[in-house]
Amino acid sequence: MSVFNAYMSLSGAVDADVIRGERLSHRTTYRIGGPAALFVCANTYEALLKTVEVLRAERVPWVVMGKGSNILAADTGYDGCIITLGREFSRMSFAEDDRVTAGAALPLSKLVSEAMKRSLTGLEFCAGIPGTVGGAVSMDAGTRHEWVGSVIEDVVSLQPGKGLVRHAASEVEWGYRVTSLPTTEIVLEATFRLAAGNHDAIARDVEERLRRRSQSQPMGRPCCGSVFRNPGSRSAAVMIEACGLKGYRVGGAVVSDVHANFIVNDGGAHAHDVVEVMRHVHDAVRDKYEIDLQPEVKLLGFGA
């Protein structure tokens, strides 16, 4: 593996920002994480394709990251390349049949806002969900009852070594925080099926959802959103709170007193602090309810 060769091959040769040693605490909403060996923000399809080709040739492992809103990065960082999508992947276009195609790098909040301006309904449930369109598609983001996959027409991705692949939504299995989209592919854009609606009604719905989130979640605090998946119809937050764990702390990581399924960085938290809180919460819920909570947050740089 030669990170240096990859860096030299990509620097100045493609329309991309290429950085060595970029700290992941600067790229995640947790504000936690050590340096990535290499960081590339590819602004065009050609730059992305070249980046993947070079990394494969140099045997440098890589992962794609959006806004880092569902990532806990290790204190030691990531011994590979973090790829993010830039300018060309931040576009959106609306068709006359109420469909909208959005690039994977587009913030989900911008998509929701623009749909509302055009009086298009179908994305209100995404109000307040952080991250990008690509991340939302990859993990089928949403609420406990409404998911992104339900309004998707198709998804275009890059399959390294093959090129562009289009997946019809009907060919994809959409589930709670999971899809059957190949993890070896990079989501580039998605087309959403929306419908004409009443602007005032849409705006009220969006405003109400944002209000509820602001009251029920630790908005503005460094975190990754919900740490554990809800097991079936049960609420992970309710079980964690019933275990008396609100306020439980290890170092700078603490279980939120607003929402028990959020672990916030209360200042200077390390990844190992968060992991220790997660372990304690998991074990307490298992002992009380005999339920094995599964992480919703993605761990980066922790090894096998």
Side-chain angles (χ1 to χ4, degrees):
M1 180 178 79
S2 178
V3 171
F4 179 76
N5 286 350
Y7 173 73
M8 294 301 292
S9 296
L10 293 171
S11 296
V14 293
D15 187 359
D17 301 316
V18 185
I19 307 170
R20 294 190 69 185
E22 176 74 353
R23 294 196 66 82
L24 294 174
S25 59
H26 300 159
R27 299 287 180 171
T28 63
T29 57
Y30 242 139
R31 301 295 181 257
I32 292 174
L38 192 61
F39 178 91
V40 177
C41 178
N43 288 311
T44 66
Y45 173 76
E46 291 75 15
L48 175 62
L49 193 60
K50 180 65 174 180
T51 297
V52 172
E53 289 175 350
V54 168
L55 295 175
R56 292 181 67 190
E58 296 296 339
R59 298 182 180 179
V60 176
W62 55 270
V63 296
V64 176
M65 188 171 74
K67 296 296 183 182
S69 59
N70 193 39
I71 297 290
L72 176 62
D75 298 316
T76 53
Y78 177 63
D79 190 24
C81 180
I82 300 294
I83 300 175
T84 65
L85 305 180
R87 187 177 59 251
E88 189 172 283
F89 306 99
S90 300
R91 301 169 179 167
M92 59 179 153
S93 61
F94 288 81
E96 293 184 358
D97 59 358
D98 298 331
R99 283 169 168 75
V100 54
T101 298
L106 183 75
L108 190 60
S109 59
K110 287 189 177 181
L111 178 61
V112 173
S113 177
E114 191 61 31
M116 181 178 66
K117 288 179 183 178
R118 294 168 179 263
S119 300
L120 294 176
T121 184
L123 289 171
E124 293 88 332
F125 68 91
C126 293
I129 297 177
T132 61
V133 167
V137 171
S138 297
M139 67 174 294
D140 199 9
T143 67
R144 293 182 63 184
H145 307 292
E146 299 167 292
W147 304 342
V148 164
S150 65
V151 291
I152 287 181
E153 178 81 14
D154 58 44
V155 177
V156 176
S157 62
L158 170 63
Q159 185 180 106
K162 181 176 180 179
L164 294 177
V165 179
R166 185 179 298 274
H167 299 278
S170 59
E171 300 170 348
V172 178
E173 294 181 14
W174 305 93
Y176 178 62
R177 303 300 184 268
V178 65
T179 78
S180 65
L181 290 168
T183 57
T184 54
E185 296 181 10
I186 303 173
V187 173
L188 302 183
E189 67 177 32
T191 298
F192 298 83
R193 302 184 309 272
L194 305 181
N198 178 274
H199 177 271
D200 291 342
I202 295 170
R204 284 194 299 270
D205 192 358
V206 168
E207 183 178 353
E208 174 62 18
R209 290 173 187 268
L210 291 173
R211 186 191 64 80
R212 289 202 301 266
R213 284 183 181 275
S214 69
Q215 293 179 343
S216 64
Q217 298 178 6
M219 305 296 286
R221 303 289 299 280
C223 65
C224 68
S226 294
V227 174
F228 295 101
R229 298 179 183 179
N230 290 313
S233 61
R234 307 195 68 169
S235 166
V238 169
M239 289 187 288
I240 295 168
E241 182 173 356
C243 290
L245 294 175
K246 277 188 171 182
Y248 178 81
R249 173 189 297 271
V250 174
V254 58
V255 176
S256 171
D257 58 3
V258 178
H259 192 302
N261 198 18
F262 282 59
I263 299 174
V264 302
N265 177 355
D266 199 36
H270 298 283
H272 63 79
D273 296 335
V274 179
V275 170
E276 286 305 310
V277 173
M278 289 176 63
R279 182 177 291 115
H280 182 78
V281 168
H282 170 275
D283 292 349
V285 171
R286 182 193 58 196
D287 292 345
K288 183 177 180 66
Y289 293 99
E290 296 185 347
I291 289 178
D292 184 26
L293 290 179
Q294 297 300 309
E296 183 170 319
V297 59
K298 296 181 180 179
L299 304 182
L300 176 64
F302 288 86

